[in-house]
Amino acid sequence: MRVAVVGAGGWGEHHARIFARRPDTELVAILGRTPERTQARAERYGTTAYTDLDLMLERERPELITVCLPNEDHYDLTLKLVRTGLPLLVEKPLVFDLAEADTLLSEAGDNFFAINFNHRFAEPVQRAKALIDAGELGDLVFATWRFGGEANRGNSAHANLIETQCHGFDMLEHLVGPISAVSAHMTDKTYGAFSTVALALDFENRAVGTMLGSYDSSYAYQDTQHIEINGTEGRLVIHDTVRALTFSKAGDPIEQRWHSTYFDDESRNFAGTFDRHVDALLDALRTGAEPPVHARAGRRALQLAHAAITSHERGRRVVCEPKDG
């Protein structure tokens, strides 16, 4: 399968790495904005550099395009790519504006349009989902998401909430179910943006939850990413996305723990969650199935983020629109 990568930045390196090394894909192009940087990336992965999208599409005729652009600059180029009708995988966030998200989804129609919520493909997350689906936790009662690290400063006052905590919205709905209401507290005390947020959540299944997301912390801290799901019959905790999963049954002081083993170090590699997503994505593309994570999930995370923003601005709980699809 002929694959072109749009974006020559940091995470774009993983896009190039994956598709250059797979035996079932050929990395035919890297498109970037800076000629020198794009050329260096293309040379590193044995492909061709472009700074002109139309020229790249005409010459290389890719069968899949992946997009990794600066967080607040997704819309214009993504819209142009959507209109080509080619299968598309984009990085989160989808966009920052709901109207733009709606336009992208409308223009895409039934075309293959995926978003990389790669946290879903971490081994602890997949094991946690299996435990929940098997009823091992009983009725879910409450859930906690915490994720904080160094600042990624941008133009939006809500960059942390939209571009990083989108993973939290997606993950909690993936594990617990649709969020029905949100109440938000935010602070801009450090550098002017709302860099730390605390949210209280209601779920449609009557569970409750919390989210704490920060750009005023450090990714060096242990358990900088922490997910806890409690039910009537058990509790699970996901540590740093890929590091470990612990599971306990109610009333039992013995805790079960999953961690990657000596010959299983792939599963402790955070970047490997993207490799796993690509495995599922290519399977879906080849069989004509819907993407494993459709771009609608990006629109949903943005919808929930905007509900949180409204809650903060109005100082009250906001009921969220029902989840669509």
Side-chain angles (χ1 to χ4, degrees):
M1 184 176 294
R2 298 173 62 80
V3 181
V5 171
V6 175
W11 192 251
E13 178 102 40
H14 292 292
H15 288 240
R17 170 187 61 81
I18 290 171
F19 293 106
R21 296 179 182 178
R22 290 184 65 101
D24 57 352
T25 60
E26 178 186 2
L27 180 62
V28 297
I30 293 177
L31 177 78
R33 297 181 295 183
T34 306
E36 296 80 8
R37 184 173 187 173
T38 308
Q39 183 63 39
R41 177 69 53 78
E43 289 178 358
R44 188 175 308 134
Y45 290 99
T47 190
T48 306
Y50 289 90
T51 55
D52 184 302
L53 174 62
D54 292 331
L55 181 62
M56 184 274 286
L57 293 173
E58 178 184 351
R59 287 184 177 177
E60 303 298 345
R61 301 192 179 279
E63 298 166 281
L64 170 67
I65 299 177
T66 77
V67 186
C68 186
L69 297 171
N71 286 324
E72 296 183 49
D73 297 332
H74 286 190
Y75 178 67
D76 290 338
L77 188 53
T78 303
L79 179 61
K80 188 170 184 177
L81 289 168
V82 161
R83 286 173 171 167
T84 67
L86 291 168
L88 196 61
L89 168 65
V90 298
E91 278 296 337
K92 59 81 196 168
L94 183 59
V95 282
F96 276 61
D97 181 84
L98 274 170
E100 291 179 350
D102 289 338
T103 298
L104 291 176
L105 290 167
S106 175
E107 291 280 347
D110 294 329
N111 291 335
F112 194 93
F113 189 16
I115 190 166
N116 185 30
F117 278 137
N118 57 300
H119 285 223
R120 292 196 196 186
F121 296 86
E123 184 72 19
V125 172
Q126 295 189 330
R127 288 175 177 266
K129 184 75 164 69
L131 286 168
I132 292 169
D133 290 348
E136 292 290 338
L137 274 68
D139 289 331
L140 302 185
V141 179
F142 70 88
T144 295
W145 163 278
R146 186 180 74 235
F147 191 27
E150 288 80 11
N152 181 32
R153 302 191 185 191
N155 295 320
S156 171
H158 297 287
N160 170 50
L161 180 67
I162 293 174
E163 70 191 18
T164 294
Q165 304 314 320
C166 58
H167 280 298
F169 291 124
D170 181 71
M171 184 58 59
L172 289 178
E173 290 207 322
H174 179 59
L175 294 176
V176 182
I179 294 168
S180 59
V182 59
S183 181
H185 295 268
M186 306 183 185
T187 181
D188 59 357
K189 68 180 293 183
T190 55
Y191 59 90
F194 291 108
S195 51
T196 294
V197 301
L199 312 179
L201 309 172
D202 290 323
F203 292 89
E204 286 184 8
N205 62 10
R206 299 177 64 201
V208 295
T210 62
M211 286 181 61
L212 179 64
S214 182
Y215 272 172
D216 300 311
S217 186
S218 175
Y219 294 115
Y221 299 154
Q222 184 166 292
D223 273 346
T224 191
Q225 202 278 316
H226 178 96
I227 304 170
E228 179 179 342
I229 312 290
N230 277 254
T232 55
E233 297 180 18
R235 180 187 82 154
L236 62 82
V237 179
I238 297 168
H239 304 269
D240 285 329
T241 311
V242 295
R243 184 164 58 87
L245 168 70
T246 56
F247 172 62
S248 303
K249 294 296 287 185
D252 187 349
I254 298 175
E255 178 181 83
Q256 301 177 51
R257 179 181 179 88
W258 173 89
H259 63 274
S260 58
T261 61
Y262 182 84
F263 291 109
D264 184 31
D265 59 351
E266 173 272 334
S267 59
R268 74 166 67 95
N269 176 10
F270 178 76
T273 61
F274 187 18
D275 296 65
R276 289 179 169 202
H277 186 184
V278 169
D279 285 342
L281 180 136
L282 292 178
D283 284 346
L285 186 54
R286 290 189 176 104
T287 60
E290 187 170 274
V293 188
H294 195 281
R296 286 190 300 270
R299 198 265 183 197
R300 174 61 175 177
L302 181 64
Q303 180 186 54
L304 294 171
H306 277 272
I309 293 167
T310 300
S311 170
H312 175 69
E313 291 173 345
R314 297 180 182 177
R316 63 175 177 80
R317 175 177 176 270
V318 169
V319 175
C320 303
E321 295 179 24
K323 186 176 181 179
D324 180 23

